[in-house]
Amino acid sequence: MTARITPNGRLLLIEPQFVLRRTVATMAREMGLADVQEATSPAHAERMLFERRFDALLIALDDDGEALELLRKLRAGQTSQPSDLPTAATASGCDVELALRMKQMDILRLLLKPFNVRGMLEVIAALGAPESPADH
């Protein structure tokens, strides 16, 4: 795994809900967790992944699989980001199949809905936590 996000690091937050996305981004910046860049969809995020360098990614999984496809491209080295970019996700639910896919894609955290802003901020903070020996 590459270096984790730092307070000066740039996190790409992919979240379609405007209020949640803006609130989390603003609070994470104010708390010094990360420089959060916002994307409304996986398609928008994919363009951003080619234009800028990011230190971590927090993505909302969608029902049509667009987010999982973006994660597949990231892990396959089909973006300009490192293929092992630290990544967390949010989802409305998790079955065995999704859990296995998250493990295969090296997703560090999965936050299940319903969650609050605090939960997302904790995930962002965890992306910046130093690796413990158990992470190796």
Side-chain angles (χ1 to χ4, degrees):
M1 187 69 41
T2 58
R4 305 264 182 148
I5 193 169
T6 65
N8 296 329
R10 185 177 288 164
L11 173 109
L12 179 56
L13 172 61
I14 307 162
E15 170 55 55
Q17 295 179 11
F18 173 79
V19 173
L20 178 60
R21 184 181 68 249
R22 185 58 45 93
T23 302
V24 168
T26 300
M27 291 185 72
R29 287 184 203 116
E30 288 176 359
M31 293 172 67
L33 297 176
D35 174 18
V36 178
Q37 305 296 303
E38 303 171 47
T40 58
S41 69
H44 180 217
E46 187 170 0
R47 289 188 300 274
M48 293 176 74
L49 289 171
F50 280 102
E51 296 168 356
R52 301 177 194 142
R53 180 80 165 169
F54 292 96
D55 300 299
L57 175 72
L58 176 53
I59 186 169
L61 301 181
D62 51 5
D63 292 336
D64 61 9
E66 204 180 342
L68 285 173
E69 177 59 16
L70 178 60
L71 290 172
R72 186 200 63 75
K73 288 178 181 179
L74 173 70
R75 294 302 186 225
Q78 297 174 346
T79 71
S80 62
Q81 306 299 315
S83 63
D84 61 349
L85 185 70
T87 302
T90 64
S92 58
C94 183
D95 57 14
V96 173
E97 181 182 338
L98 179 59
L100 290 173
R101 289 193 77 182
M102 296 292 96
K103 184 171 177 62
Q104 290 170 341
M105 291 189 196
D106 197 24
I107 304 303
L108 300 174
R109 299 274 173 128
L110 179 62
L111 183 61
L112 295 176
K113 296 177 183 176
F115 53 80
N116 55 28
V117 170
R118 179 178 171 192
M120 288 186 79
L121 293 170
E122 288 171 355
V123 167
I124 292 171
L127 287 171
E131 289 188 46
S132 69
D135 291 337
H136 294 286

